[in-house]
Amino acid sequence: MTQQTPAPPLGRPFDQDFFQDPYPTYARLRSAGPVHRIALPDGSPVWLVTRERDVRAGLTDTRLSVNKAHSTNGYQGFSLPPALDANLLNIDPDDHLRLRRLVSKGFTPRHVEQLRARVAEVAGQFADRLAEVGQADLVTTFAHPLPLVIIGDLLAVPEADSRTFSGWVAAMFAPEYPGHTAEAIGHIHRYLLDLISARRAHPADDLLSSLIAARDDGARLSEDELVSLAFLILMAGSENTQHLISGGLLTLLRHPDQLTTLRARPELMPEAVEELFRFAHPNQMAIRRFPTEPVEIGGVRIPTGDTVLLALASAHRDPSRYPEPDRFDIHRADKTHLALGHGVHYCLGAALARLEIRTALSTLLDRFPGLRLAVPDEQLEWRASFRSHALKQLPVAIG
C-alpha cells in the first residue's frame, strides 16, 4: 500500500506582529503569490487573495457567494443566530437588492446632506469636551461616540445604548476571553429583540419604525431579516467609521508634511479622506465568500464550498496597482479604492461615512492646531484581530 504524503501545515500569518502592523505581512504574501492557503487564528482553513486585480474581480464574481449555505468546510465566522445572520452581508443578489431598497432611503446622498448640520453639531460638542480636559483618549472621547450618536439618531437609539451595543460589537471582533464573542452576540440579539418590540408598540419617525412597518404591513421582509437589518445598520454605521477617524488622525500626525498642507488648504479634506480609505482603512477583509463551483483565481484552482477571503488592505498596498503604495499622499492622482466595497455589496452608508470622517477630522484640525500624540508612537496598542486594524486607544494632547 502506498503511503500518502501528509499535507504541509497551513501557514498562520495573522500573529502579534500582524496585529501591530499588517502591511509587511501582506507585502511578503503578495510577493510569494496571489493566493495562499492559510489558517485563521482559530485554525479554520481559508484561501487568502492578496493582489488588487484579483480582489477587485472577486468582489463582483457571481460564482463567489456570500451565503454560508454554500460553505462545505464548516466555516461559520461569528456563528450568528438566524435572527442576526439574514443581513445584507450574507445574502446574494436577488434578496440583497430587495432588502437594500427598504433601507436605502435613509442613506441617499440627499438625505445624508440633510444630516450635515447635525454631524457638525455633534463633532463640535465632542471637541468641546476634549478642549475641557486638554489631554484624553481620542477614541473614547471623540472618534467612538460621534458616529454612534448619528446612527442612533437614524434609528432613535439613545447614545448610552449605542455605546453599549458598540462594546458588544468590539467583543465580536477582538474577544478578551473564551466565550466572549458568544456572550456579546447573545447580548446583541436580546437587545435588538427588545428594541424592536418597544418600537413596534410605540412607532416613531425613524428608520427602524419604517422597517417594522414594512415587515408588519407589507410582509416585504421576514422577522429575522428585520432584526438582522437593525443589527447591520447599528454595527456598520459605527464600527469602521469610528476606527478610520482615530486611525486617520494618527496617519496625519505621522505625516506632518501632509498635515501641514491640509491645515493650509482645508478644501483638500475630501481628497485626504479618500487616500485615508486606501491607506488606513481598518477593515482588512471583505466578507468571506464561498465558490458555488470550482474557480480559478490568480492561477490557483479553489474548490467548491471552500472559504475565500479577499484582502482589501493588501490590495490597497499592491505596487502593481498603486505607485509607491506605502506612501500616504493626499495629492495622489488615482484615489480609487475598495474600502467601501465594489459591485452589489457597495457600502450602503458610504455617503454618511464620508461626511462623518471629513467633518470629524476637519473639526479636530480646525479647533486644535497644536494637537499631538500624548505618548510615544511605539506605545500605541492595536486590536488583536485579523478582521480589523484598529487602535485600542489614541492618547492625544491638544496643545
Side-chain angles (χ1 to χ4, degrees), residues 161-312:
D161 285 1
S162 296
R163 282 179 179 261
T164 302
F165 186 95
S166 183
W168 294 329
V169 171
M172 288 174 52
F173 281 94
E176 296 179 359
Y177 50 83
H180 197 189
T181 296
E183 179 183 299
I185 289 171
H187 285 307
I188 290 171
H189 188 191
R190 288 189 292 274
Y191 175 77
L192 290 174
L193 291 178
D194 290 344
L195 176 67
I196 289 171
S197 177
R199 197 62 49 76
R200 187 170 260 140
H202 303 284
D205 183 19
D206 60 81
L207 182 57
L208 182 56
S209 294
S210 70
L211 291 175
I212 293 171
R215 158 64 182 156
D216 295 349
D217 297 340
R220 286 177 288 169
L221 70 165
S222 69
E223 191 70 14
D224 282 352
E225 289 171 340
L226 170 62
V227 180
S228 295
L229 281 174
F231 167 59
L232 181 63
I233 293 168
L234 275 172
M235 179 183 72
S238 58
E239 174 69 15
N240 286 328
T241 304
Q242 294 169 345
H243 299 308
L244 192 52
I245 291 171
S246 54
L249 178 64
L250 175 61
T251 299
L252 291 171
L253 293 175
R254 284 174 166 176
H255 297 82
D257 59 328
Q258 303 288 294
L259 179 56
T260 298
T261 298
L262 197 52
R263 287 190 186 280
R265 299 185 58 193
E267 71 275 10
L268 292 177
M269 182 58 77
E271 287 80 0
V273 168
E274 294 310 302
E275 175 69 343
L276 286 171
F277 273 120
R278 181 196 72 85
F279 187 87
H281 195 268
N283 196 14
Q284 300 291 288
M285 314 286 170
I287 189 71
R288 75 284 171 279
R289 283 161 164 78
F290 311 102
T292 56
E293 61 184 73
V295 297
E296 185 175 300
I297 302 177
V300 177
R301 187 176 186 275
I302 300 176
T304 301
D306 275 12
T307 302
V308 177
L309 289 181
L310 304 172
L312 302 175

Side-chain angles (χ1 to χ4, degrees), residues 87-127:
N87 64 65
L88 293 172
L89 297 181
N90 299 325
I91 298 175
D92 289 326
D94 289 346
D95 283 335
H96 178 98
L97 293 174
R98 172 177 58 85
L99 296 180
R100 191 180 180 97
R101 291 189 189 101
L102 292 175
V103 296
S104 61
K105 64 180 181 181
F107 298 97
T108 62
R110 179 179 178 183
H111 185 74
V112 168
E113 183 60 30
Q114 295 172 353
L115 298 173
R116 182 176 296 277
R118 175 58 175 159
V119 174
E121 176 189 16
V122 173
Q125 290 171 351
F126 288 118

Side-chain angles (χ1 to χ4, degrees), residues 249 252 259 262-263 269 361-369:
L249 178 64
L252 291 171
L259 179 56
L262 197 52
R263 287 190 186 280
M269 182 58 77
L361 294 176
S362 294
T363 300
L364 291 170
L365 299 191
D366 181 58
R367 289 284 302 273
F368 308 121

